[in-house]
């Protein structure tokens, strides 16, 4: 995904070493470039980068903050002062390729979750706008997940609709997936911010199913007036929340091109009405209204945990560079650290107590461990404490990763 126009005989740190150092550092909890002025001398990081010594005697095995900063400021094309360039389309394609390679065979159906979230900024970065809903200056990145797998992380300005660019992003991902899995059934799932005519029409034209939240309005609430009264009566009788579901055909007055299936949840809870709506391309004979809402649609809430891992545990919201191009690259580095941790969880930690653990938990309990490091002429030895409480999981993950690498 990167090209290097530097003279090979004059460089100390190759592009692979630089990228690996940055991604490993994020995965290990070092989100700032200044941290690498100390990490460049760390033998554990040198082992990860497969570079135990520098060619020059006055140089550390790994790069410092200034060299890594030049990597993050790389351009789409090499220039006189920025000789490392990156291909954004290749990076985006890599996330989908890694998702495909994580499966031994094509599944019958996959669910792609879309969501937009805030990425607060605290300086005067390019693309800075105030977002009223989040009450802050921020970016509005678009994420696409399939279960725990991250397929896309697109940085965007915040002065746009939440669904802006979603059609192009979904089209790219679906085309890529169907090239490898032509028969897979794809279901899109998202909140009401994505229930837009353009995206729904594209899905209907390209054999992609969808289930999106639908913002309520007076017309929709009027459609379930009877069901709300029934739910209120049941709640008063039982003292517990009550809900009813209604399956209906509905269209907006202007924005939709056709009538679509809408599922309405008429709920009475905590002494007040709580109506909710979703719109879907799935047929009534395939799935009932209750199951579609409670089991299929509500499961999208798990994506929020994935975003929390990416932005909270792996610092995808550390977008403090001056340009959006550099901040997009930072977002991709953090996203690749998430993919790395996800692979560790899937391959090395399956059927252990950490199989469903968050990235921050895995880092705290399995990666940030105290050890005695001995560096000799021919090797680096790590002596870990025999009393480590998670040594069995660590040893199992190590063995599984070695076997996977040898396969």
């Amino acid at each position: 995904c990167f090209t290097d126009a530097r003279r090979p005989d004059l460089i100390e740190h190759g592009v692979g070493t630089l990228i690996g150092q940055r991604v490993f550092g994020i995965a290990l909890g070092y989100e700032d470039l200044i941290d690498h002025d100390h990490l460049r001398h760390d033998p554990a990081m040198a082992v990860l980068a497969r570079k135990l010594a520098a060619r020059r005697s006055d140089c550390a095995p790994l790069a410092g903050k200034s060299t890594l900063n030049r990597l993050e400021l790389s351009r789409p094309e090499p220039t006189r002062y920025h000789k490392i360039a990156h291909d954004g389309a290749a990076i985006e394609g890599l996330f989908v390729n890694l998702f495909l390679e994580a499966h031994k065979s094509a599944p019958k159906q996959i669910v792609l979750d879309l969501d937009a979230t805030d990425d607060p900024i605290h300086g005067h970065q390019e693309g800075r706008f105030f977002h009223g809903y989040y009450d802050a200056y921020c970016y509005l990145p678009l994420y696409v997940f399939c279960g725990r797998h991250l397929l896309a992380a697109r940085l965007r300005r915040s002065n746009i609709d939440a669904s802006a660019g979603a059609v192009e992003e979904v089209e790219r991902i679906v085309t890529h997936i169907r090239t490898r899995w032509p028969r897979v059934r794809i279901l899109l799932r998202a909140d009401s911010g994505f229930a837009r005519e353009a995206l729904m029409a594209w899905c209907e034209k390209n054999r992609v199913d969808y289930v999106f939240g639908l913002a309520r309005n007076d017309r929709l609430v009027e459609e379930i007036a009877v069901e709300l009264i029934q739910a209120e009566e049941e709640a008063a009788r039982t003292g517990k929340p009550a809900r009813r579901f209604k399956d209906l055909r509905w269209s907006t007055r202007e924005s939709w091109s056709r009538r679509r299936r809408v599922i309405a949840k008429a709920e009475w809870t905590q002494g007040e009405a709580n109506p909710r709506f979703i719109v879907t391309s799935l047929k009534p004979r395939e799935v009932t209204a209750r199951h579609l809402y409670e089991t299929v649609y509500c499961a999208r809430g798990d994506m929020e945990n994935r975003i929390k891992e990416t932005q909270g545990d792996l610092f995808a919201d550390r977008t403090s560079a001056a340009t959006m191009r550099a901040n997009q690259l930072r977002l991709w580095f953090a996203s690749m650290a998430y993919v790395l941790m996800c692979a560790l969880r899937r391959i090395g930690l399956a059927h252990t107590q950490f199989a469903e653990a968050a990235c921050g938990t895995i880092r705290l309990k399995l990666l940030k461990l105290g050890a005695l490091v001995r560096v000799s002429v021919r090797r680096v030895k790590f002596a870990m404490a025999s009393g480590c409480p998670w040594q069995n999981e660590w040893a199992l993950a190590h063995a599984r990763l070695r076997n996977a690498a040898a396969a």
Side-chain angles (χ1 to χ4, degrees):
C1 301
F2 287 76
T3 56
D4 189 356
R6 299 175 297 173
R7 285 182 53 182
D9 58 319
L10 297 180
I11 64 172
E12 178 62 52
H13 308 293
V15 172
T17 301
L18 296 175
I19 296 172
Q21 181 181 349
R22 187 70 176 111
V23 173
F24 292 142
I26 293 172
L28 291 171
Y30 302 103
E31 71 271 28
D32 291 324
L33 291 180
I34 195 171
D35 297 326
H36 289 270
D37 270 7
H38 299 284
L39 293 175
R40 64 189 304 200
H41 301 285
D42 186 87
M45 288 292 292
V47 169
L48 284 173
R50 298 186 179 184
K51 186 183 178 187
L52 301 183
R55 291 189 302 177
R56 303 199 308 264
S57 59
D58 60 340
C59 187
L62 299 177
K65 65 179 186 299
S66 299
T67 305
L68 291 173
N69 184 56
R70 287 192 289 272
L71 172 70
E72 292 190 346
L73 296 178
S74 63
R75 309 290 180 90
E77 297 292 336
T79 66
R80 179 179 180 182
Y81 300 105
H82 298 88
K83 295 185 177 297
I84 298 176
H86 68 272
D87 184 345
I91 296 175
E92 291 175 334
L94 177 61
F95 286 105
V96 184
N97 282 332
L98 292 174
F99 161 71
L100 295 170
E101 292 169 4
H103 296 77
K104 295 181 180 179
S105 60
K108 292 182 179 180
Q109 175 175 303
I110 59 174
V111 179
L112 302 183
D113 287 307
L114 288 76
D115 203 1
T117 189
D118 64 315
D119 176 0
I121 56 179
H122 307 285
H124 292 274
Q125 292 95 316
E126 179 186 5
R128 178 178 184 264
F129 286 99
F130 185 86
H131 196 289
Y133 178 80
Y134 295 109
D135 194 27
Y137 287 92
C138 63
Y139 292 130
L140 195 68
L142 172 66
Y143 288 96
V144 182
F145 283 85
C146 181
R148 287 186 176 272
H149 298 275
L150 189 153
L151 278 70
R154 168 76 67 174
L155 193 67
R156 307 175 301 174
R157 290 175 167 86
S158 63
N159 63 333
I160 57 172
D161 183 74
S163 66
V167 173
E168 294 78 9
E169 204 70 15
V170 169
E171 182 177 12
R172 175 184 65 82
I173 293 172
V174 169
T175 302
H176 197 154
I177 291 174
R178 283 182 170 164
T179 302
R180 183 85 64 89
W181 298 339
R183 297 180 180 274
V184 67
R185 185 177 185 182
I186 300 175
L187 172 67
L188 289 190
R189 187 168 58 188
D191 61 21
S192 60
F194 293 84
R196 302 292 186 263
E197 170 64 24
L199 184 55
M200 292 187 289
W202 183 92
C203 290
E204 292 157 354
K205 183 179 178 180
N206 291 275
R207 299 180 296 107
V208 175
D209 290 311
Y210 60 84
V211 52
F212 298 145
L214 184 62
R216 67 186 179 192
N217 57 51
D218 293 339
R219 287 181 59 214
L220 280 169
V221 174
E222 185 179 348
E223 290 281 346
I224 58 171
V226 174
E227 287 74 13
L228 282 172
I229 293 173
Q230 293 173 347
E232 181 182 7
E233 292 174 348
E234 181 182 341
R237 185 176 65 254
T238 63
K240 298 178 181 179
R243 58 176 57 174
R244 296 285 189 276
F245 288 90
K246 185 176 182 179
D247 207 319
L248 55 101
R249 301 288 295 178
W250 194 79
S251 176
T252 61
R253 286 173 173 162
E254 296 180 356
S255 59
W256 287 11
S257 61
R258 53 179 292 183
R259 293 168 65 85
R260 295 183 170 95
R261 184 188 181 195
V262 169
I263 306 300
K265 181 192 73 168
E267 184 178 44
W268 195 272
T269 180
Q270 297 180 352
E272 61 182 6
N274 182 37
R276 291 288 187 270
F277 305 89
I278 60 175
V279 57
T280 182
S281 62
L282 297 173
K283 307 301 181 186
R285 65 177 179 272
E286 294 181 274
V287 58
T288 64
R290 179 180 290 271
H291 180 82
L292 180 60
Y293 185 91
E294 294 182 340
T295 304
V296 179
Y297 176 71
C298 288
R300 66 164 295 277
D302 190 53
M303 183 190 181
E304 303 290 343
N305 295 325
R306 309 288 80 78
I307 294 177
K308 288 178 182 178
E309 286 186 88
T310 308
Q311 296 200 168
D313 294 340
L314 297 170
F315 319 107
D317 59 352
R318 189 56 68 93
T319 47
S320 54
T323 65
M324 286 198 69
R325 180 179 57 249
N327 285 324
Q328 174 66 82
L329 190 55
R330 284 189 171 191
L331 176 59
W332 280 331
F333 283 151
S335 299
M336 191 54 66
Y338 172 85
V339 172
L340 183 68
M341 295 289 280
C342 192
L344 168 61
R345 186 165 46 200
R346 185 183 71 252
I347 300 171
L349 300 173
H351 309 296
T352 70
Q353 62 175 310
F354 299 112
E356 301 294 328
C359 294
T361 301
I362 294 173
R363 179 170 62 218
L364 178 66
K365 296 187 176 181
L366 294 179
L367 303 182
K368 302 283 285 188
L369 300 178
L372 177 62
V373 183
R374 294 188 180 95
V375 181
S376 66
V377 175
R378 290 183 294 178
R379 67 189 64 182
V380 179
K381 294 183 67 175
F382 298 91
M384 298 170 61
S386 59
C388 176
W390 303 287
Q391 57 182 302
N392 292 332
E393 289 82 357
W394 201 99
L396 179 62
H398 179 261
R400 285 175 172 174
L401 293 172
R402 285 178 61 89
N403 291 336

